[in-house]
Amino acid sequence: MADRTNITELFLLKGEEPPENPLLVLKPSTPDTTCNLGTITMGYYSMCLNRHKSGEMKYGRTRYDAKGGGLFFMKPGQTVANENIVTEGDGFCLIFQEEYLYGHPLHAEIRKYRYFEYDINEALHLSPQEEQTMIRISKDIEAEYNAQDDLSREIILGHIASLLRYSQRFYRRQFIDRVDHSGKVASRFHQQLSGYFETGLSATQGLPSVKYLAEQLHVSPHYLSDVLKQETGKTALELIHLFLISEAKNLLTGTDLSISEISYNLGFENHPYFSRLFKRIAGLTPNAFKNNLTNWKKDNEVSYGHRLYEQAMNG
């Protein structure tokens, strides 16, 4: 794993004096600021609201045109590079070490905000009103940062928590807008999932993963799951599981394949796992489902035979 760059090291790389507080820094954006930072593996959290005139951002091995900007989220361990980024308009960049959160509920809470796992091209694009809300909170943080009394850290952490919650709200709005403008992701997800089985990939490649399906849809896995959750109320993994059990029921009903054969054809390497998943979703084991189906067919065949007999007797 590459060495992680902490905040002090970041400032030195940029040729700047180390910050007064090595655990948290807030820098307002100014027009025509240029950033040309080499590739680094981050050792801190970053929330940056910027409008960009030009430049490229590199996330991992993938390059993105940074023109337009947005609100970007990064967490420790992610590798990123800014190349010839030129900013315009108001904005801010808030960076803080994980240590700054120690002993505060936010240390655990921040992990639930999955947008820190999104790709750069899935940045949060704010409306003018939303942008002003975020800038206002950043100015509140700046005021406390400059005050630096015994309550400043607690107040600043409260403001950071507000930024995170507003970001969650605004992402939900963006997911809805995405549906309006580009069609339902759930429909395209289902098409990819169906195609995976129709082409026989399940038998050769195993179970479809969220990562694989996200790649086919050109989004990050966490972004895909969050969009699907907004559209369907279920995550990508939950939808995959529901699809698998639906396919299993179809094969149990319409073929003479054994349960082991069905499990294999669907991509399960572990037969007991298939049975457990089937029971959790269907409410009964594959064997019980098949037995119920056999009994149902027998009952209907007897009923059908009685009807034919009665018709014959009545002329």
Side-chain angles (χ1 to χ4, degrees), residues 57-95:
M57 300 181 76
K58 186 178 178 184
Y59 181 90
R61 297 180 178 178
T62 308
R63 292 180 181 274
Y64 298 100
D65 184 351
K67 195 178 297 181
L71 182 54
F72 302 93
F73 301 86
M74 298 287 173
K75 72 173 189 176
Q78 292 176 319
T79 300
V80 65
N82 297 333
E83 298 182 2
N84 300 315
I85 299 290
V86 180
T87 62
E88 64 176 350
D90 293 333
F92 63 87
C93 192
L94 174 66
I95 55 178

Side-chain angles (χ1 to χ4, degrees), residues 286-306:
N287 273 319
F289 179 87
K290 195 167 187 176
N291 290 336
N292 286 353
L293 187 64
T294 300
N295 293 334
W296 180 84
K297 286 180 177 178
K298 287 180 179 178
D299 290 343
N300 277 271
E301 287 170 359
V302 170
S303 176
Y304 181 65
H306 280 310

Side-chain angles (χ1 to χ4, degrees), residues 4-11 13-14 22-24 37 40-48 73-78 80 82 93-99 116:
R4 297 186 180 188
T5 303
N6 62 35
I7 291 176
T8 297
E9 291 168 340
L10 173 68
F11 273 65
L13 282 172
K14 295 169 65 177
L23 298 182
L24 178 137
L37 188 64
I40 63 169
T41 299
M42 299 173 59
Y44 48 84
Y45 286 97
S46 172
M47 300 175 61
C48 293
F73 301 86
M74 298 287 173
K75 72 173 189 176
Q78 292 176 319
V80 65
N82 297 333
C93 192
L94 174 66
I95 55 178
F96 51 93
Q97 302 281 154
E98 184 178 10
E99 295 92 316
F116 281 100

Side-chain angles (χ1 to χ4, degrees), residues 91 93 99 116 127 237 249 259 262 274 302:
C93 192
E99 295 92 316
F116 281 100
S127 70
L237 186 59
K249 287 180 178 179
I259 292 172
I262 290 171
F274 166 68
V302 170

